[in-house]
Amino acid sequence: MNDVVPEPSPEVPVEPDHDPAAPAPLQVPRTPTGNAEVDAGLERLGDADHLATDGHIEVYEDVHRGLRDALTALDVRPGPPAPSPSYDQRAPSPSYGTRS
């Protein structure tokens, strides 16, 4: 009987076609809102797709700041005039059925 053990073949390291740690687009659809400032912020989020994870915070903070500014600007813009106080003044209801 022959007790020859075959020698293990040298393993060739297999390099992955794609590096899972590399930045990759999330492919999240961004639907336009019709508000230019908000839409610009949504587009800015796409910049995070090409950055390593540690670079995302800068993009997110920038977008958050822009959205906060857009919301603050809504409070500053003049809206329609408020109705005059005499518009909805109603006479007090008579107290029917009340005992004195």
Coordinates of all heavy atoms in Angstrom, one line a residue:
M1 N 0.8 -1.2 0.0 CA 0.0 0.0 0.0 C 0.9 1.2 0.0 O 1.9 1.3 0.6 CB -0.8 0.0 1.2 CG -2.0 0.8 1.0 SD -2.9 0.8 2.5 CE -4.4 0.4 2.1
N2 N 0.4 2.2 -0.7 CA 1.2 3.4 -0.8 C 0.6 4.5 0.1 O -0.6 4.9 -0.1 CB 1.2 3.9 -2.3 CG 2.2 5.0 -2.5 OD1 2.7 5.5 -1.6 ND2 2.4 5.2 -3.8
D3 N 1.3 5.0 1.1 CA 0.8 6.0 2.0 C 1.2 7.4 1.6 O 1.6 8.2 2.5 CB 1.3 5.7 3.4 CG 0.7 4.5 4.0 OD1 -0.4 4.1 3.5 OD2 1.2 3.9 4.9
V4 N 1.2 7.7 0.4 CA 1.6 9.0 -0.1 C 0.4 10.0 0.1 O -0.7 9.7 -0.3 CB 2.0 9.0 -1.5 CG1 2.4 10.4 -2.0 CG2 3.2 8.0 -1.7
V5 N 0.7 11.0 0.8 CA -0.3 12.1 1.0 C -0.1 13.2 0.1 O 1.1 13.7 0.0 CB -0.3 12.6 2.5 CG1 -1.3 13.7 2.7 CG2 -0.5 11.5 3.5
P6 N -1.0 13.6 -0.7 CA -0.8 14.6 -1.7 C -0.5 16.0 -0.9 O -1.1 16.3 0.1 CB -2.1 14.7 -2.5 CG -3.1 14.0 -1.7 CD -2.4 13.1 -0.8
E7 N 0.4 16.7 -1.5 CA 0.7 18.0 -0.9 C -0.4 19.0 -1.2 O -0.9 19.0 -2.3 CB 2.1 18.5 -1.4 CG 3.2 17.7 -0.8 CD 4.5 18.4 -1.1 OE1 4.6 19.7 -1.2 OE2 5.5 17.7 -1.3
P8 N -0.7 19.8 -0.2 CA -1.7 20.8 -0.5 C -1.2 21.8 -1.6 O -0.1 22.2 -1.6 CB -1.9 21.5 0.8 CG -0.8 21.2 1.7 CD -0.2 19.9 1.1
S9 N -2.2 22.1 -2.4 CA -1.8 23.1 -3.5 C -1.7 24.5 -2.9 O -2.5 24.8 -2.0 CB -2.8 23.0 -4.6 OG -4.1 23.4 -4.1
P10 N -0.8 25.3 -3.4 CA -0.7 26.6 -2.8 C -2.0 27.4 -3.2 O -2.4 27.4 -4.3 CB 0.5 27.2 -3.5 CG 0.7 26.3 -4.7 CD 0.1 25.0 -4.4
E11 N -2.5 28.1 -2.2 CA -3.7 28.8 -2.4 C -3.4 30.1 -3.0 O -2.6 30.9 -2.6 CB -4.5 29.0 -1.1 CG -5.0 27.7 -0.5 CD -5.9 27.9 0.7 OE1 -6.6 29.0 0.7 OE2 -6.0 27.0 1.5
V12 N -4.2 30.4 -4.0 CA -4.1 31.7 -4.7 C -5.1 32.6 -4.1 O -6.3 32.3 -4.1 CB -4.3 31.5 -6.2 CG1 -4.2 32.9 -6.9 CG2 -3.3 30.5 -6.8
P13 N -4.7 33.7 -3.6 CA -5.7 34.6 -3.0 C -6.6 35.1 -4.1 O -6.2 35.5 -5.2 CB -4.9 35.8 -2.4 CG -3.5 35.7 -3.0 CD -3.3 34.3 -3.5
V14 N -7.9 35.1 -3.8 CA -8.9 35.6 -4.7 C -9.3 37.0 -4.3 O -9.7 37.3 -3.2 CB -10.2 34.7 -4.6 CG1 -11.3 35.2 -5.6 CG2 -9.8 33.2 -4.9
E15 N -9.1 37.9 -5.3 CA -9.4 39.3 -5.1 C -10.9 39.5 -5.5 O -11.3 39.1 -6.6 CB -8.5 40.2 -5.8 CG -7.1 40.1 -5.3 CD -6.2 41.2 -6.0 OE1 -6.7 42.2 -6.4 OE2 -5.0 40.9 -6.2
P16 N -11.7 40.1 -4.6 CA -13.0 40.3 -4.9 C -13.1 41.4 -6.1 O -12.3 42.3 -6.2 CB -13.7 40.8 -3.7 CG -12.5 41.3 -2.8 CD -11.3 40.6 -3.3
D17 N -14.2 41.2 -6.9 CA -14.4 42.2 -8.0 C -14.8 43.5 -7.4 O -14.6 44.5 -8.0 CB -15.5 41.6 -8.9 CG -15.1 40.4 -9.7 OD1 -13.8 40.2 -9.8 OD2 -15.9 39.7 -10.1
H18 N -15.4 43.5 -6.2 CA -15.9 44.7 -5.6 C -15.5 44.7 -4.2 O -15.6 43.7 -3.5 CB -17.4 44.7 -5.9 CG -18.2 45.2 -4.8 ND1 -18.6 44.5 -3.7 CD2 -18.8 46.4 -4.7 CE1 -19.4 45.2 -3.0 NE2 -19.5 46.4 -3.5
D19 N -15.0 45.8 -3.8 CA -14.6 46.0 -2.4 C -15.8 46.5 -1.6 O -16.3 47.6 -1.7 CB -13.5 47.1 -2.3 CG -13.0 47.3 -0.9 OD1 -13.4 46.6 0.0 OD2 -12.2 48.2 -0.7
P20 N -16.3 45.6 -0.6 CA -17.5 46.0 0.1 C -17.2 47.2 1.0 O -18.2 47.9 1.4 CB -17.8 44.8 1.0 CG -16.6 43.9 0.9 CD -15.8 44.3 -0.3
A21 N -16.0 47.6 1.3 CA -15.7 48.7 2.2 C -15.6 50.0 1.4 O -15.6 51.1 1.9 CB -14.4 48.5 2.9
A22 N -15.6 49.9 0.0 CA -15.5 51.1 -0.8 C -16.8 51.8 -0.9 O -17.9 51.2 -0.7 CB -15.1 50.6 -2.2
P23 N -16.8 53.1 -1.0 CA -18.0 53.9 -1.2 C -18.9 53.4 -2.3 O -18.3 53.0 -3.4 CB -17.6 55.3 -1.4 CG -16.1 55.4 -1.0 CD -15.6 54.0 -1.2
A24 N -20.1 53.3 -2.1 CA -21.0 52.9 -3.2 C -22.3 53.7 -3.1 O -22.8 53.9 -2.0 CB -21.3 51.4 -3.0
P25 N -22.9 54.0 -4.3 CA -24.2 54.7 -4.3 C -25.3 53.9 -3.6 O -25.3 52.7 -3.8 CB -24.5 55.0 -5.7 CG -23.2 54.8 -6.4 CD -22.4 53.8 -5.6
L26 N -26.1 54.5 -2.9 CA -27.2 53.8 -2.2 C -28.4 53.6 -3.2 O -29.3 52.8 -2.9 CB -27.7 54.6 -1.0 CG -26.7 54.7 0.1 CD1 -27.2 55.6 1.2 CD2 -26.3 53.3 0.7
Q27 N -28.4 54.3 -4.3 CA -29.5 54.2 -5.3 C -30.8 54.5 -4.7 O -31.8 54.0 -5.1 CB -29.5 52.8 -5.9 CG -28.2 52.3 -6.5 CD -27.8 53.0 -7.7 OE1 -28.6 53.5 -8.4 NE2 -26.5 53.2 -7.9
V28 N -30.9 55.5 -3.8 CA -32.1 55.9 -3.2 C -32.7 57.0 -4.1 O -32.0 58.0 -4.4 CB -31.9 56.5 -1.8 CG1 -33.2 57.1 -1.2 CG2 -31.4 55.4 -0.9
P29 N -33.9 56.8 -4.6 CA -34.5 57.9 -5.5 C -34.8 59.1 -4.7 O -35.2 59.1 -3.6 CB -35.8 57.2 -6.0 CG -36.1 56.2 -5.0 CD -34.8 55.7 -4.4
R30 N -34.5 60.3 -5.4 CA -34.8 61.6 -4.8 C -35.8 62.2 -5.6 O -35.6 62.6 -6.8 CB -33.5 62.4 -4.7 CG -32.5 61.8 -3.8 CD -31.3 62.7 -3.6 NE -30.0 62.4 -4.3 CZ -29.4 61.3 -4.3 NH1 -29.9 60.2 -3.8 NH2 -28.2 61.2 -4.9
T31 N -37.0 62.4 -5.1 CA -38.1 63.0 -5.8 C -38.1 64.5 -5.6 O -38.1 64.9 -4.4 CB -39.5 62.4 -5.3 OG1 -39.4 61.0 -5.3 CG2 -40.6 62.9 -6.1
P32 N -38.1 65.3 -6.7 CA -38.1 66.7 -6.5 C -39.4 67.2 -5.8 O -40.5 66.7 -5.9 CB -38.1 67.3 -7.9 CG -37.7 66.1 -8.8 CD -38.1 64.9 -8.1
T33 N -39.2 68.2 -4.9 CA -40.3 68.7 -4.1 C -41.0 70.0 -4.8 O -42.1 70.3 -4.4 CB -39.8 69.2 -2.7 OG1 -38.9 70.2 -2.9 CG2 -39.2 68.0 -2.0
G34 N -40.2 70.6 -5.7 CA -40.7 71.9 -6.3 C -40.2 73.1 -5.5 O -40.3 74.2 -6.0
N35 N -39.5 72.9 -4.4 CA -38.9 74.0 -3.7 C -37.4 73.9 -4.0 O -36.7 72.9 -3.7 CB -39.1 73.8 -2.2 CG -38.5 74.9 -1.4 OD1 -37.3 75.1 -1.4 ND2 -39.3 75.7 -0.7
A36 N -36.9 75.0 -4.6 CA -35.5 74.9 -5.1 C -34.5 74.7 -4.0 O -33.5 73.9 -4.2 CB -35.2 76.2 -5.8
E37 N -34.7 75.2 -2.8 CA -33.7 75.1 -1.7 C -33.8 73.6 -1.2 O -32.7 73.0 -0.9 CB -34.1 76.0 -0.6 CG -33.8 77.5 -0.9 CD -34.4 78.4 0.1 OE1 -35.6 78.5 0.2 OE2 -33.6 79.0 0.9
V38 N -34.9 73.1 -1.1 CA -35.1 71.7 -0.6 C -34.5 70.7 -1.6 O -33.8 69.8 -1.3 CB -36.5 71.4 -0.3 CG1 -36.7 69.9 0.1 CG2 -37.0 72.2 0.9
D39 N -34.8 71.0 -2.9 CA -34.3 70.1 -4.0 C -32.8 70.1 -4.1 O -32.2 69.1 -4.3 CB -34.9 70.5 -5.3 CG -36.4 70.1 -5.4 OD1 -36.9 69.3 -4.5 OD2 -37.1 70.7 -6.3
A40 N -32.2 71.3 -3.8 CA -30.7 71.4 -3.8 C -30.2 70.6 -2.7 O -29.1 69.9 -2.8 CB -30.3 72.8 -3.7
G41 N -30.8 70.6 -1.5 CA -30.4 69.7 -0.4 C -30.5 68.3 -0.7 O -29.6 67.5 -0.4
L42 N -31.6 67.9 -1.4 CA -31.7 66.5 -1.8 C -30.6 66.0 -2.7 O -30.1 64.9 -2.6 CB -33.1 66.2 -2.4 CG -34.3 66.3 -1.5 CD1 -35.6 66.2 -2.2 CD2 -34.2 65.2 -0.4
E43 N -30.3 66.9 -3.7 CA -29.2 66.6 -4.6 C -27.9 66.5 -3.9 O -27.0 65.7 -4.2 CB -29.2 67.6 -5.7 CG -30.3 67.4 -6.7 CD -30.3 66.0 -7.3 OE1 -29.3 65.5 -7.8 OE2 -31.4 65.4 -7.4
R44 N -27.7 67.3 -2.9 CA -26.4 67.4 -2.1 C -26.2 66.0 -1.4 O -25.1 65.6 -1.2 CB -26.5 68.5 -1.1 CG -25.3 68.6 -0.2 CD -24.1 69.2 -0.8 NE -23.1 69.5 0.3 CZ -22.0 68.8 0.5 NH1 -21.7 67.7 -0.3 NH2 -21.2 69.1 1.4
L45 N -27.3 65.4 -1.0 CA -27.2 64.1 -0.3 C -26.5 63.1 -1.2 O -25.9 62.1 -0.8 CB -28.6 63.6 0.1 CG -29.3 64.2 1.3 CD1 -30.7 63.7 1.4 CD2 -28.5 64.0 2.5
G46 N -26.7 63.2 -2.5 CA -26.0 62.3 -3.5 C -24.5 62.4 -3.4 O -23.8 61.4 -3.8
D47 N -24.0 63.5 -2.9 CA -22.5 63.6 -2.7 C -22.0 62.5 -1.7 O -20.8 62.1 -1.8 CB -22.1 65.0 -2.2 CG -22.4 66.0 -3.3 OD1 -22.6 65.7 -4.4 OD2 -22.4 67.2 -2.9
A48 N -22.8 62.1 -0.8 CA -22.4 61.1 0.2 C -22.2 59.8 -0.4 O -21.4 58.9 0.1 CB -23.4 61.0 1.3
D49 N -22.8 59.5 -1.6 CA -22.6 58.2 -2.3 C -21.2 57.9 -2.6 O -20.8 56.8 -2.8 CB -23.5 58.2 -3.5 CG -25.0 58.0 -3.2 OD1 -25.3 57.8 -2.1 OD2 -25.8 58.2 -4.2
H50 N -20.4 58.9 -2.8 CA -19.0 58.8 -3.3 C -18.0 59.0 -2.2 O -16.8 59.0 -2.5 CB -18.8 59.7 -4.5 CG -19.8 59.7 -5.5 ND1 -20.0 58.6 -6.4 CD2 -20.8 60.5 -5.8 CE1 -21.0 58.8 -7.2 NE2 -21.5 59.9 -6.9
L51 N -18.5 59.1 -1.0 CA -17.5 59.3 0.1 C -17.5 58.1 1.0 O -18.5 57.3 1.1 CB -18.0 60.5 1.0 CG -18.0 61.9 0.3 CD1 -18.7 62.9 1.2 CD2 -16.6 62.3 -0.1
A52 N -16.4 57.9 1.7 CA -16.3 56.9 2.8 C -17.3 57.3 3.9 O -17.7 58.5 4.0 CB -14.9 56.8 3.3
T53 N -17.7 56.4 4.7 CA -18.7 56.6 5.8 C -18.3 57.8 6.7 O -19.1 58.6 7.0 CB -18.9 55.4 6.6 OG1 -19.1 54.3 5.8 CG2 -20.0 55.5 7.6
D54 N -17.0 58.0 7.0 CA -16.6 59.0 7.8 C -16.8 60.4 7.2 O -16.8 61.4 7.9 CB -15.2 58.9 8.4 CG -14.1 58.8 7.3 OD1 -14.5 58.8 6.1 OD2 -12.9 58.8 7.6
G55 N -17.0 60.5 5.9 CA -17.3 61.7 5.2 C -18.7 62.1 5.1 O -19.1 63.2 4.7
H56 N -19.6 61.2 5.5 CA -21.0 61.4 5.4 C -21.5 62.5 6.3 O -22.4 63.3 5.9 CB -21.8 60.2 5.7 CG -21.7 59.1 4.6 ND1 -22.5 58.0 4.6 CD2 -20.9 59.0 3.5 CE1 -22.2 57.2 3.5 NE2 -21.2 57.8 2.9
I57 N -21.0 62.6 7.5 CA -21.5 63.6 8.5 C -21.4 65.0 8.0 O -22.3 65.8 8.2 CB -20.7 63.4 9.8 CG1 -21.4 64.2 10.9 CG2 -19.3 63.8 9.7 CD1 -22.7 63.6 11.4
E58 N -20.3 65.3 7.3 CA -20.2 66.7 6.7 C -21.3 67.0 5.7 O -21.9 68.1 5.8 CB -18.9 66.8 6.0 CG -18.6 68.2 5.5 CD -17.3 68.4 4.8 OE1 -16.4 67.6 5.0 OE2 -17.2 69.3 3.9
V59 N -21.7 66.0 4.9 CA -22.7 66.2 3.9 C -24.1 66.3 4.7 O -24.9 67.2 4.4 CB -22.8 65.1 2.9 CG1 -24.0 65.2 2.0 CG2 -21.5 65.0 2.1
Y60 N -24.3 65.4 5.6 CA -25.6 65.4 6.3 C -25.8 66.7 7.1 O -26.9 67.3 7.1 CB -25.7 64.2 7.3 CG -25.7 62.9 6.6 CD1 -25.3 61.8 7.2 CD2 -26.1 62.8 5.3 CE1 -25.3 60.5 6.6 CE2 -26.2 61.5 4.6 CZ -25.8 60.4 5.3 OH -25.8 59.2 4.7
E61 N -24.7 67.2 7.7 CA -24.8 68.5 8.5 C -25.1 69.6 7.6 O -25.9 70.5 7.9 CB -23.6 68.7 9.3 CG -23.5 67.8 10.5 CD -22.2 68.0 11.4 OE1 -21.3 68.6 10.9 OE2 -22.2 67.5 12.5
D62 N -24.4 69.6 6.4 CA -24.7 70.7 5.4 C -26.1 70.7 4.9 O -26.8 71.8 4.9 CB -23.7 70.5 4.3 CG -23.8 71.6 3.2 OD1 -23.9 72.8 3.7 OD2 -23.7 71.4 2.0
V63 N -26.6 69.5 4.6 CA -28.0 69.4 4.2 C -29.0 69.8 5.3 O -29.9 70.6 5.1 CB -28.3 68.0 3.6 CG1 -29.8 67.8 3.4 CG2 -27.5 67.7 2.4
H64 N -28.7 69.4 6.5 CA -29.6 69.7 7.6 C -29.6 71.3 7.8 O -30.7 71.8 8.0 CB -29.1 69.1 8.9 CG -29.9 69.3 10.1 ND1 -29.5 70.2 11.1 CD2 -31.1 68.9 10.5 CE1 -30.5 70.3 12.0 NE2 -31.4 69.5 11.6
R65 N -28.4 71.9 7.7 CA -28.4 73.3 7.9 C -29.2 74.0 6.8 O -29.9 75.0 7.1 CB -26.9 73.8 7.8 CG -26.6 75.2 8.2 CD -25.1 75.5 8.3 NE -24.2 74.7 7.5 CZ -23.5 73.7 8.0 NH1 -23.5 73.4 9.3 NH2 -22.6 73.0 7.2
G66 N -29.1 73.6 5.6 CA -29.8 74.2 4.5 C -31.3 74.0 4.6 O -32.1 74.9 4.4
L67 N -31.7 72.8 5.1 CA -33.2 72.6 5.3 C -33.7 73.4 6.4 O -34.8 74.0 6.4 CB -33.5 71.1 5.6 CG -33.2 70.2 4.4 CD1 -33.4 68.7 4.8 CD2 -34.2 70.5 3.2
R68 N -32.9 73.6 7.5 CA -33.3 74.4 8.6 C -33.4 75.9 8.2 O -34.4 76.5 8.5 CB -32.3 74.3 9.7 CG -32.7 74.9 11.0 CD -31.8 74.7 12.2 NE -30.4 75.1 11.8 CZ -29.3 74.4 11.9 NH1 -29.4 73.2 12.4 NH2 -28.2 74.8 11.6
D69 N -32.5 76.3 7.3 CA -32.6 77.7 6.8 C -33.8 77.9 6.0 O -34.5 78.9 6.0 CB -31.3 78.0 6.0 CG -30.1 78.2 6.9 OD1 -30.2 78.2 8.2 OD2 -28.9 78.2 6.4
A70 N -34.1 76.9 5.1 CA -35.3 77.0 4.3 C -36.6 77.1 5.1 O -37.5 77.8 4.8 CB -35.4 75.8 3.3
L71 N -36.7 76.3 6.2 CA -37.8 76.3 7.1 C -37.9 77.7 7.8 O -39.0 78.2 8.0 CB -37.8 75.2 8.1 CG -38.1 73.8 7.5 CD1 -37.9 72.7 8.5 CD2 -39.6 73.8 7.0
T72 N -36.8 78.2 8.3 CA -36.7 79.4 9.0 C -37.2 80.6 8.0 O -37.9 81.5 8.4 CB -35.3 79.7 9.5 OG1 -35.0 78.7 10.4 CG2 -35.3 81.1 10.2
A73 N -36.8 80.5 6.8 CA -37.2 81.5 5.8 C -38.7 81.5 5.6 O -39.3 82.6 5.3 CB -36.5 81.3 4.5
L74 N -39.4 80.4 5.8 CA -40.8 80.3 5.6 C -41.5 81.2 6.7 O -42.6 81.8 6.5 CB -41.3 78.9 5.7 CG -41.0 78.0 4.6 CD1 -41.5 76.6 4.8 CD2 -41.6 78.5 3.3
D75 N -40.9 81.2 7.9 CA -41.5 82.0 9.0 C -41.3 83.5 8.7 O -42.1 84.3 9.3 CB -40.8 81.7 10.3 CG -41.2 80.3 10.8 OD1 -42.3 79.8 10.4 OD2 -40.5 79.7 11.6
V76 N -40.3 83.9 8.0 CA -40.0 85.3 7.7 C -40.8 85.9 6.6 O -41.2 87.0 6.6 CB -38.5 85.5 7.4 CG1 -38.2 86.9 7.0 CG2 -37.7 85.0 8.6
R77 N -41.2 85.1 5.6 CA -41.9 85.5 4.5 C -43.3 86.0 4.9 O -44.0 85.4 5.7 CB -42.1 84.4 3.4 CG -40.8 84.0 2.8 CD -41.0 83.0 1.8 NE -39.7 82.5 1.3 CZ -39.5 81.3 0.8 NH1 -40.5 80.5 0.6 NH2 -38.3 80.9 0.4
P78 N -43.8 87.1 4.3 CA -45.1 87.6 4.7 C -46.2 86.7 4.1 O -46.0 86.3 2.9 CB -45.2 89.0 4.1 CG -44.2 89.0 3.0 CD -43.1 88.0 3.4
G79 N -47.1 86.4 4.8 CA -48.2 85.5 4.4 C -49.4 86.4 4.1 O -49.4 87.6 4.1
P80 N -50.6 85.8 3.8 CA -51.8 86.6 3.6 C -52.2 87.3 4.9 O -51.9 86.9 6.0 CB -52.8 85.5 3.3 CG -52.3 84.2 3.8 CD -50.8 84.4 3.8
P81 N -52.8 88.5 4.7 CA -53.2 89.2 5.9 C -54.2 88.4 6.8 O -55.0 87.7 6.3 CB -53.8 90.5 5.3 CG -54.2 90.1 4.0 CD -53.3 89.1 3.5
A82 N -54.0 88.6 8.1 CA -54.9 87.9 9.0 C -56.3 88.6 8.9 O -56.4 89.8 8.7 CB -54.4 88.1 10.4
P83 N -57.4 87.8 9.1 CA -58.7 88.4 9.1 C -58.8 89.4 10.2 O -58.3 89.3 11.3 CB -59.6 87.2 9.3 CG -58.8 86.1 9.7 CD -57.4 86.4 9.4
S84 N -59.6 90.5 10.0 CA -59.8 91.5 11.0 C -60.6 90.9 12.2 O -61.4 90.0 12.0 CB -60.6 92.7 10.4 OG -62.0 92.5 10.5
P85 N -60.4 91.4 13.4 CA -61.0 90.8 14.5 C -62.5 90.9 14.5 O -63.2 90.1 15.0 CB -60.5 91.6 15.7 CG -59.3 92.4 15.2 CD -59.4 92.4 13.7
S86 N -63.1 91.9 13.8 CA -64.5 92.0 13.7 C -65.2 91.1 12.7 O -66.4 90.9 12.7 CB -64.9 93.5 13.4 OG -64.4 93.8 12.1
Y87 N -64.3 90.4 11.9 CA -64.9 89.5 10.9 C -65.7 88.3 11.5 O -66.7 88.0 11.0 CB -63.7 88.9 10.1 CG -64.1 87.9 9.1 CD1 -64.8 88.3 7.9 CD2 -63.8 86.5 9.3 CE1 -65.2 87.3 7.0 CE2 -64.2 85.6 8.4 CZ -64.9 86.0 7.2 OH -65.2 85.0 6.3
D88 N -65.2 87.7 12.6 CA -65.8 86.5 13.1 C -66.4 86.8 14.5 O -66.5 85.8 15.3 CB -64.8 85.4 13.1 CG -65.5 84.0 13.3 OD1 -66.7 83.9 12.9 OD2 -64.9 83.1 13.9
Q89 N -66.8 88.0 14.8 CA -67.4 88.2 16.1 C -68.9 87.8 16.0 O -69.6 88.3 15.1 CB -67.3 89.6 16.5 CG -65.9 89.9 16.9 CD -65.7 91.3 17.5 OE1 -66.7 92.1 17.5 NE2 -64.6 91.7 18.0
R90 N -69.3 87.0 16.8 CA -70.7 86.5 16.8 C -71.4 87.0 18.1 O -70.7 87.1 19.1 CB -70.8 85.0 16.8 CG -70.1 84.4 15.5 CD -70.2 82.9 15.5 NE -69.4 82.5 14.4 CZ -69.0 81.2 14.2 NH1 -69.3 80.3 15.1 NH2 -68.4 80.9 13.2
A91 N -72.6 87.3 18.0 CA -73.4 87.7 19.2 C -73.4 86.5 20.1 O -73.5 85.4 19.7 CB -74.7 88.2 18.7
P92 N -73.3 86.8 21.4 CA -73.4 85.7 22.3 C -74.8 85.0 22.2 O -75.8 85.6 21.9 CB -73.3 86.3 23.7 CG -73.3 87.8 23.5 CD -73.2 88.0 22.0
S93 N -74.8 83.7 22.3 CA -76.0 82.9 22.2 C -76.9 83.2 23.4 O -76.5 83.3 24.5 CB -75.7 81.4 22.2 OG -74.8 81.1 21.2
P94 N -78.2 83.3 23.1 CA -79.1 83.5 24.2 C -79.1 82.2 25.1 O -79.0 81.1 24.5 CB -80.5 83.7 23.6 CG -80.3 83.4 22.2 CD -78.9 83.3 21.8
S95 N -79.3 82.3 26.3 CA -79.3 81.2 27.2 C -80.7 80.7 27.4 O -81.4 81.1 28.3 CB -78.7 81.6 28.6 OG -77.4 82.0 28.4
Y96 N -81.1 79.9 26.5 CA -82.5 79.3 26.6 C -82.5 78.2 27.6 O -81.6 77.4 27.7 CB -83.0 78.8 25.3 CG -83.1 79.8 24.2 CD1 -82.2 79.9 23.2 CD2 -84.1 80.7 24.3 CE1 -82.3 80.9 22.2 CE2 -84.3 81.7 23.3 CZ -83.4 81.8 22.3 OH -83.5 82.7 21.3
G97 N -83.6 78.2 28.4 CA -83.8 77.1 29.3 C -82.9 77.2 30.6 O -82.8 76.3 31.4
T98 N -82.3 78.4 30.8 CA -81.6 78.6 32.1 C -82.5 79.2 33.1 O -83.3 80.1 32.8 CB -80.4 79.5 31.8 OG1 -80.1 79.6 30.5 CG2 -79.2 79.1 32.6
R99 N -82.3 78.7 34.3 CA -83.1 79.3 35.4 C -82.3 80.3 36.1 O -81.1 80.2 36.3 CB -83.5 78.2 36.4 CG -84.4 77.1 35.8 CD -84.7 76.2 36.8 NE -85.5 75.1 36.1 CZ -85.7 73.9 36.7 NH1 -85.4 73.7 37.9 NH2 -86.4 73.0 36.0
S100 N -83.0 81.4 36.5 CA -82.3 82.4 37.2 C -82.7 82.3 38.7 O -83.7 82.0 39.1 CB -82.8 83.8 36.8 OG -82.6 83.9 35.4

